């Protein structure tokens, strides 16, 4: 991660060097897979699918890792914000079926943006309530945090059951996002995956911008490194944390919408399923690290897609195997967060 | 005598003692006290769950680490017995092979997970066990050639354990002692032995080190106890006991499938039983498992009739329907973690201690192994 402030004061503090090895690892995985898969067009399709999936996972996981880094709170309920976000998109999709089915790109984009806004607002508010009711009484008690947030996950999941029914709900992609786009001779990429990659890049850049170029971002980063010191300097770290928690939940909601469209079915249990994936990602990346979260998401998605193509049976445990290999190499994850 | 059997860990509350004796009595004579299949099923399930929950409490209550893979070890036990019996035929040798294999697999897997995840941070353990358990559930339901997939495995048990077998020609106390009753007593006595063994473990020096780690990891390490080794070993013991419980369930049900052993709902059940009974005391496992199993066996009927009450009002009927019991369990779970952290056993002990404070000076408030009511709310 580049550091805006230290560049100006080069004599006193030197910007920490970027650890390139994990980034190269992602590229290496992609390149090694190419000869194994054999066909270049298949490889491009798989890689694009993996990038799309990786970006969506990153959106969902980033909130969890920031919340942990900042406040040492592990939120097992994070998965349910994903389900909440995904189900909230139904509130937009059901009345606006006309827009979804319309061949106009503008209306299609409008409906996607509306879905995202509604989902982010709803899951952000949900996050605020969750923080207040569930998490606030158990700060600094990991054992109880795990138990209570897991309980919260179950309760909200069951409430989704009550209000939306237990059977899987199929959702349709907006008209112009369906189908593939030919990028070259026999290289066809699904349009929605391109959209997912674009949204993911926008979120990543926005997040990097906020974290590295704004005052709030500076405080958040400082808080991750040493919360007591930030507090001692007179900032209310609690308020900062609540903001980050709500933002993280809103991002989970956004991820839920993207994931819902990606799978095209919504199930009440989707949050818990994705939560497992997210945990693997943040453990691989290093708990608390945003860059690690991105690299972890991409690695997990690439390995999952390649193994699913090469050896479907192994794909079921490829994530776990990847996590074990990474932990053997770097026990704290790819980018360990240095805590003072 | 009792001190030796209970490893010096007495219930320390008259109400609790009474409840435990009642549970022991009813479970010991269940085949002769009740008629029909349902009560005996519930009794056998209680025995299995007491062992399962007690082994989980060794991790959660005594060592202070959260595992979501406990049902995985439960399932390994169940599938070990099931696969051996269905592949090799209903012989004792096959069963023994299944038991040995299941226990070896469970112990090794627990050791590996522990060494990988406990090395850095205890919090990794919860996340990694969740991931591994989910992967295992997927594997068990996908590898249908081996595990029977979603349908699970049906198999025949050795002849002694079949319903058609008669141990005695004449009925005893009006009950015909058939293979089911023999199976029940095998389940009962192994569960009882397992429970007493666990009681021995938590009241041994090893158990004291585990509690020291729970209270202050850093200090325990500084005193010269390698935290990772102790935690990993606790997770191995707990996994082996869970596998044993799985074997008992497999013998009783004569069926093993993802829903009876591996599902996430069972994990939640176990968590709830530990928390309601009381974390950090094995007697809590007995109380929690008994109450919850009885409630779950008879609650759907009660909730079904409640659901009819709210039939006219939208959402209320769905909220009260029998399918939504997990919702109420979840709420109960959160409330008990907040307001009831020592569980029923902790409350009973505290109550008795306060009562005695009035008359006599505190005599045994500092007994070793006492953790139900004196541990800080961490």
């Amino acid at each position: 991660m580049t550091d805006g402030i230290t560049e100006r004061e080069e004599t006193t503090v030197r910007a920490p060097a970027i650890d390139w090895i994990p980034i190269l690892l992602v590229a290496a995985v992609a390149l090694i897979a190419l000869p194994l898969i054999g066909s270049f067009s298949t490889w491009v399709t798989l890689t694009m699918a993996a990038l799309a999936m990786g970006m969506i996972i990153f959106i969902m996981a980033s909130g969890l890792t920031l919340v942990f880094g900042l406040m040492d709170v592990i939120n097992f309920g994070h998965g349910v914000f994903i389900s909440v976000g995904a189900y909230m998109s139904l509130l937009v999709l059901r009345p606006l079926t006309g827009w979804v089915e319309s061949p106009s790109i503008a209306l299609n984009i409008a409906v996607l943006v509306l879905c995202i806004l509604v989902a982010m607002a709803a899951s952000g508010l949900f996050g605020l309530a969750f923080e207040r009711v569930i998490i606030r009484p158990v700060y600094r008690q990991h054992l109880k945090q795990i138990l209570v947030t897991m309980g919260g996950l179950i309760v909200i999941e069951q409430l989704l059951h009550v209000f939306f029914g237990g059977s899987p709900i199929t959702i349709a992609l907006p008209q112009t996002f369906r189908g593939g786009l030919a990028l070259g001779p026999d290289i066809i990429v699904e349009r929605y995956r391109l959209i997912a990659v674009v949204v993911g890049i926008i979120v990543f850049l926005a997040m990097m911008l906020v974290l590295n170029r704004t005052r709030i971002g500076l405080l958040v980063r400082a808080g991750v490194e040493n919360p007591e010191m930030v507090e001692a300097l007179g900032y209310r770290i609690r308020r900062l944390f609540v903001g980050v928690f709500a933002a993280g939940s809103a991002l989970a909601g956004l991820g839920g919408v993207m994931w819902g469209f990606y799978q095209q079915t919504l199930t009440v249990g989707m949050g818990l399923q994705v939560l497992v994936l997210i945990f693997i990602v943040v453990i691989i990346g290093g708990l608390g690290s945003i860059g690690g979260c991105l690299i972890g998401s991409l690695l997990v998605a690439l390995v999952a897609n390649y193994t699913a193509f090469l050896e479907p049976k192994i794909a079921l445990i490829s994530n776990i195997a990847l996590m074990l290999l990474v932990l053997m190499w770097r026990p704290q994850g790819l980018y360990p967060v240095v805590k003072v | 005598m009792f001190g030796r059997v209970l490893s010096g860990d007495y219930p320390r509350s008259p109400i609790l003692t009474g409840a435990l004796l009642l549970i022991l009595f009813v479970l010991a004579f269940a085949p002769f006290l009740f008629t029909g299949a349902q009560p005996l099923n519930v009794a056998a399930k209680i025995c299995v769950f007491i062992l399962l929950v007690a082994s989980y409490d060794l991790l959660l209550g005594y060592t202070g680490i959260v595992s979501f893979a406990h049902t995985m070890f439960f399932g390994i036990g169940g599938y070990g017995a099931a696969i051996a019996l269905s592949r090799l035929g209903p012989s004792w040798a096959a069963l023994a092979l299944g038991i040995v294999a299941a226990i070896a697999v469970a112990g090794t897997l627990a050791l590996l997970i522990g060494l990988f995840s406990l090395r850095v941070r205890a919090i990794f353990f919860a996340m990694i066990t969740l991931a591994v358990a989910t992967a295992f559930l997927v594997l068990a339901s996908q590898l249908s050639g081996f595990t029977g997939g979603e349908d699970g495995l049906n198999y025949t048990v050795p002849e002694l354990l079949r319903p058609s077998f008669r141990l005695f020609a004449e009925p005893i106390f009006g009950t015909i002692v058939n293979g089911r009753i023999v199976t029940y007593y095998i389940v009962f006595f192994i569960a009882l032995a397992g429970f007493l063994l666990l009681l021995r473990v938590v009241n041994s020096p090893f158990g004291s080190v585990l509690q020291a780690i729970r209270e202050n990891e850093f200090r325990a390490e500084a005193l010269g106890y390698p935290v990772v080794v102790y935690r990993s070993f606790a997770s191995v013991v707990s996994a082996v006991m869970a596998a044993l419980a799985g074997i008992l369930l497999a013998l009783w049900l004569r069926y093993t499938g993802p829903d009876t052993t591996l599902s996430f709902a069972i994990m939640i059940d176990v968590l709830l039983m530990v928390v309601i009974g009381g974390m950090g005391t094995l007697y809590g496992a007995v109380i929690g498992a008994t109450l919850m199993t009885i409630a779950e066996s008879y609650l759907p009927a009660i909730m079904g009739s409640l659901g009819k009450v709210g039939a006219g009002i939208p959402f209320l009927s769905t909220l009260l329907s029998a399918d939504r019991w997990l919702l109420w369990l979840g709420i109960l779970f959160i409330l008990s973690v907040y307001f009831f952290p020592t569980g029923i056993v902790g409350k009973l002990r505290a109550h008795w201690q306060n009562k005695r404070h009035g008359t006599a000076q505190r005599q045994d408030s500092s007994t070793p192994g006492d953790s139900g009511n004196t541990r800080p709310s961490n």
Side-chain angles (χ1 to χ4, degrees), chain A residues 68-192:
Chain A
F68 181 81
L70 191 63
M71 232 31 194
D72 205 31
V73 164
I74 189 72
N75 181 11
F76 274 64
H78 193 77
V80 88
F81 299 126
I82 294 162
S83 319
V84 167
Y87 274 84
M88 284 306 135
S89 64
L90 285 177
L91 298 185
V92 176
L93 291 174
R94 279 184 176 156
L96 294 180
T97 336
W99 292 23
V100 175
E101 293 303 326
S102 121
S104 135
I105 293 189
L107 281 183
N108 286 171
I109 291 182
V111 88
L112 182 67
V113 170
L114 261 179
C115 277
I116 289 176
L117 289 180
V118 169
M120 286 183 79
S123 52
L125 286 176
F126 237 91
L128 281 180
F130 198 82
E131 196 274 341
R132 185 71 194 81
V133 178
I134 304 272
I135 295 184
R136 196 168 291 182
V138 289
Y139 274 126
R140 305 192 177 281
Q141 303 173 32
H142 276 163
L143 190 82
K144 279 194 179 177
Q145 271 168 22
I146 298 174
L147 297 179
V148 168
T149 52
M150 201 64 176
L153 178 120
I154 295 162
V155 169
I156 300 178
E157 203 177 279
Q158 291 297 315
L159 285 176
L160 283 177
H161 245 293
V162 170
F163 288 104
F164 291 95
S167 46
I169 298 171
T170 333
I171 54 172
L173 269 173
Q175 180 74 34
T176 48
F177 299 166
R178 294 172 201 166
L181 195 68
L183 284 184
D186 54 68
I187 297 176
I188 296 169
V189 177
E190 279 182 39
R191 288 183 191 163
Y192 180 68

Side-chain angles (χ1 to χ4, degrees), chain A residues 211-286:
Chain A
L211 281 176
N212 290 321
R213 293 274 184 263
T214 65
R215 189 160 184 78
I216 290 179
L218 184 73
L219 286 176
V220 171
R221 280 183 302 141
V224 169
E225 296 236 336
N226 193 339
E228 281 89 358
M229 188 55 92
V230 175
E231 200 147 37
L233 289 173
Y235 298 98
R236 292 192 192 168
I237 197 147
R238 280 215 32 85
R239 197 176 284 176
L240 189 69
F241 171 73
V242 171
V244 168
F245 194 89
S249 312
L251 280 174
L254 164 63
V257 173
M258 301 304 289
W259 188 252
F261 277 124
Y262 189 75
Q263 303 273 355
Q264 302 201 8
T265 30
L266 305 181
T267 56
V268 173
M270 66 189 282
L272 188 64
Q273 274 168 12
V274 181
L275 185 69
V276 170
L277 210 57
I278 289 175
F279 278 165
I280 294 177
V281 162
V282 296
I283 288 176
I284 287 180

Side-chain angles (χ1 to χ4, degrees), chain B residues 2 12 18 27 72 79-80 125 176 178 240 262 266 269 276 295 313 321 324 365:
Chain B
F2 275 124
R12 295 202 305 283
L27 289 180
M72 175 175 84
Y79 275 105
F125 192 73
I176 301 160
N178 62 12
V240 167
L262 291 173
I266 296 183
D269 261 7
I276 286 183
I313 311 147
S321 88
R324 291 286 75 78
S365 58

Side-chain angles (χ1 to χ4, degrees), chain B residues 1-70:
Chain B
M1 162 62 192
F2 275 124
R4 284 293 288 279
V5 173
L6 298 180
S7 313
D9 189 355
Y10 294 101
R12 295 202 305 283
S13 154
I15 304 173
L16 181 61
T17 313
L20 290 172
L21 285 176
L22 181 69
I23 291 170
L24 181 69
F25 175 79
V26 171
L27 289 180
F29 297 104
F32 304 102
L33 291 173
F34 307 106
T35 51
Q38 165 83 344
L40 200 60
N41 261 330
V42 175
K45 210 180 155 198
I46 290 176
C47 294
V48 170
F49 270 83
I50 285 176
L51 184 58
L52 183 67
V53 174
S55 64
Y56 191 67
D57 197 29
L58 177 66
L59 280 186
L60 183 66
Y62 283 89
T63 320
I65 48 182
V66 185
S67 159
F68 287 102
H70 210 59

